[in-house]
């Protein structure tokens, strides 16, 4: 009887020990929030990484402005933003923060023009005047001049823009400020601006939804959202005078020339970049994390994910229309990741 009880207690102790060990070995869960621009890719990354490692990453696609606020409030393990922190925002952080560019992407100018379909061409000045509310109809002479042979209807332009603090808006308004002195003076560039015209939608998905619902609509979204929503998008005249469409090749051409500048400061703009094959409305998107990661276990998990994203994760980017980082930027990131400290 005593022997049986001892065996029973022994099995119980073993099971308890195994249960405790299992809990100790359970992979941690990371929390992130921010940009909607890279969300289609990040969602894929997090799913693949969880299957490989057991590390789950919960990510709230709330816009770059929200991601920056979450980092500042220490409510997430990392934030995401297409707009790098300004010098003033860096000063407002309670501890040193690093920028880790993850991929580059294009902001597509999408439109809903029944009877026209694909083939619309625009330049920066015309696009700025549409968003300034100065060009109100699709058959305006300035649009017609860029689209000889394309029958443009006498239809009002329904302008859509972001309503939330947005890195996509940061890239887009930086482009408009670069090509239009009037936009630069009257509106400026930033994650949030006082839009002179149009209606707002939350997130890239919100703007895509507005354009899809509004005949005559025009808006701006990351290229993956344009493709997912089957929206047509314009070719833009670049700094070399050529019309280029957003795609992997034209976005990669914009990103390639940024490496020398990023060695001086990782926070760069690649809008309106020079080169015949460049698409002019493009940018990098960043993960933001404190250099000193608070929790040892989650910190090590985040470092592991970042190393994976810079190596294996890049291979998943083209299928979702994001451009992998140039080798020089990967090297810069790897040096940054080595400076992170967990615990």
């Amino acid at each position: 009887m005593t022997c049986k009880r001892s065996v029973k207690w022994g099995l119980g102790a073993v099971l308890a020990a195994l249960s405790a060990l299992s809990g100790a070995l359970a992979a941690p869960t990371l929390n992130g929030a921010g940009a909607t621009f890279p969300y289609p890719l990040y969602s894929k990354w997090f799913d693949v990484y969880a299957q490989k490692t057991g590390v789950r990453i919960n990510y709230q696609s709330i816009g770059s402005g929200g991601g920056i606020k979450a980092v500042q409030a220490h409510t997430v393990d990392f934030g995401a933003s297409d707009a790098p922190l300004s010098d003033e925002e860096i000063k407002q952080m309670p501890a040193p923060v690093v920028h880790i560019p993850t991929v580059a992407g294009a902001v597509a100018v999408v439109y809903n023009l029944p009877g026209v379909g694909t083939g619309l061409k625009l330049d920066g000045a015309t696009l700025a005047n549409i968003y300034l509310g100065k060009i109100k109809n699709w058959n305006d002479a300035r649009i017609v001049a860029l689209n000889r042979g394309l029958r443009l209807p006498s239809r009002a332009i329904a302008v859509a823009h972001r309503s939330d603090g947005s890195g996509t808006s940061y890239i887009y308004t930086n482009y408009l400020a670069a090509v239009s002195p009037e936009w630069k003076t009257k509106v400026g560039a930033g994650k949030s601006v006082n839009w002179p015209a149009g209606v707002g939608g939350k997130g890239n998905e919100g703007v895509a939804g507005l354009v899809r619902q509004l005949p005559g609509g025009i808006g701006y979204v990351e290229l993956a959202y344009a493709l997912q929503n089957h929206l047509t998008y314009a070719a833009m005249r670049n700094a070399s005078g050529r019309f280029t469409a957003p795609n992997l090749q034209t976005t990669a051409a914009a990103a390639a020339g940024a490496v020398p500048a990023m060695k001086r400061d990782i926070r760069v703009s690649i809008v309106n970049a020079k080169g015949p094959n460049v698409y002019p409305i493009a940018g990098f998107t960043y993960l933001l994390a404190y250099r000193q990661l608070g929790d040892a276990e989650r910190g090590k998990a985040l470092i592991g994910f970042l190393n994976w994203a810079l190596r294996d994760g890049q291979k998943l980017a083209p299928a979702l229309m994001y451009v992998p980082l140039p080798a020089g930027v990967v090297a810069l990131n790897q040096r940054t990741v080595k400076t992170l400290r967990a615990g």
Side-chain angles (χ1 to χ4, degrees):
M1 189 73 169
T2 304
C3 180
K4 289 182 180 179
R5 187 178 295 118
S6 298
V7 171
K8 188 174 182 180
W9 287 347
L11 286 174
V14 168
L15 291 173
L18 287 174
S19 177
L21 180 61
S22 175
L25 294 177
T29 296
L30 300 175
N31 295 304
T36 66
F37 181 94
Y39 179 66
L41 176 61
Y42 285 3
S43 181
K44 179 69 173 179
W45 277 2
F46 301 152
D47 181 56
V48 171
Y49 194 68
Q51 291 180 33
K52 288 181 176 294
T53 66
V55 175
R56 296 180 59 82
I57 302 177
N58 297 324
Y59 182 78
Q60 292 182 306
S61 176
I62 58 174
S64 296
I68 291 171
K69 289 177 182 177
V71 172
Q72 187 175 17
H74 265 297
T75 58
V76 292
D77 297 296
F78 67 89
S81 177
D82 317 315
L85 299 178
S86 66
D87 291 346
E88 184 59 33
E89 286 174 325
I90 289 174
K91 291 178 183 176
Q92 292 172 359
M93 290 291 169
V97 170
V98 299
H99 289 75
I100 301 171
T102 52
V103 287
V107 178
V109 179
V110 293
Y111 61 94
N112 177 359
L113 209 45
V116 174
T118 61
L120 184 71
K121 296 177 180 177
L122 293 171
D123 61 15
T126 303
L127 187 61
N129 280 325
I130 290 172
Y131 271 79
L132 284 165
K134 299 176 72 173
I135 294 179
K136 299 180 181 295
N137 291 285
W138 280 107
N139 64 344
D140 185 282
R142 287 163 285 190
I143 303 178
V144 170
L146 297 169
N147 293 276
R148 300 296 184 188
L150 199 64
R151 294 178 62 85
L152 294 166
S154 176
R155 182 187 286 272
I157 299 174
V159 173
H161 56 74
R162 289 286 288 272
S163 60
D164 53 329
S166 157
T168 311
S169 291
Y170 174 86
I171 295 170
Y172 193 64
T173 56
N174 266 277
Y175 170 71
L176 295 180
V179 296
S180 168
E182 184 176 4
W183 183 275
K184 184 176 183 178
T185 301
K186 290 185 176 180
V187 184
K191 295 184 290 293
S192 297
V193 298
N194 290 320
W195 296 97
V199 294
K202 187 174 182 180
N204 273 278
E205 57 273 28
V207 174
L210 282 173
V211 174
R212 191 174 59 245
Q213 295 162 19
L214 295 171
I218 189 171
Y220 59 93
V221 296
E222 200 284 325
L223 180 58
Y225 290 86
L227 297 173
Q228 289 174 358
N229 288 275
H230 307 290
L231 294 170
T232 48
Y233 46 86
M236 295 298 305
R237 178 178 278 160
N238 64 21
S240 297
R242 294 182 58 180
F243 287 99
T244 55
N247 57 45
L248 293 176
Q249 292 73 31
T250 57
T251 306
V259 178
M262 295 178 87
K263 289 180 179 179
R264 296 187 296 271
D265 190 336
I266 204 76
R267 303 171 297 166
V268 299
S269 171
I270 57 174
V271 300
N272 211 34
K274 296 179 180 179
N277 299 316
V278 164
Y279 178 70
I281 319 178
F284 290 101
T285 189
Y286 300 84
L287 286 188
L288 307 173
Y290 287 105
R291 193 176 297 278
Q292 180 63 52
L293 302 168
D295 179 87
E297 188 181 19
R298 293 205 309 275
K300 289 176 182 177
L302 179 57
I303 291 170
F305 168 73
L306 291 172
N307 283 320
W308 176 87
L310 295 174
R311 184 183 63 251
D312 298 341
Q314 296 296 304
K315 301 169 188 174
L316 302 176
L320 291 169
M321 300 308 293
Y322 295 88
V323 173
L325 296 172
V329 180
V330 172
L332 291 172
N333 278 338
Q334 288 172 333
R335 285 201 288 272
T336 298
V337 172
K338 286 180 180 178
T339 70
L340 301 180
R341 295 291 176 264

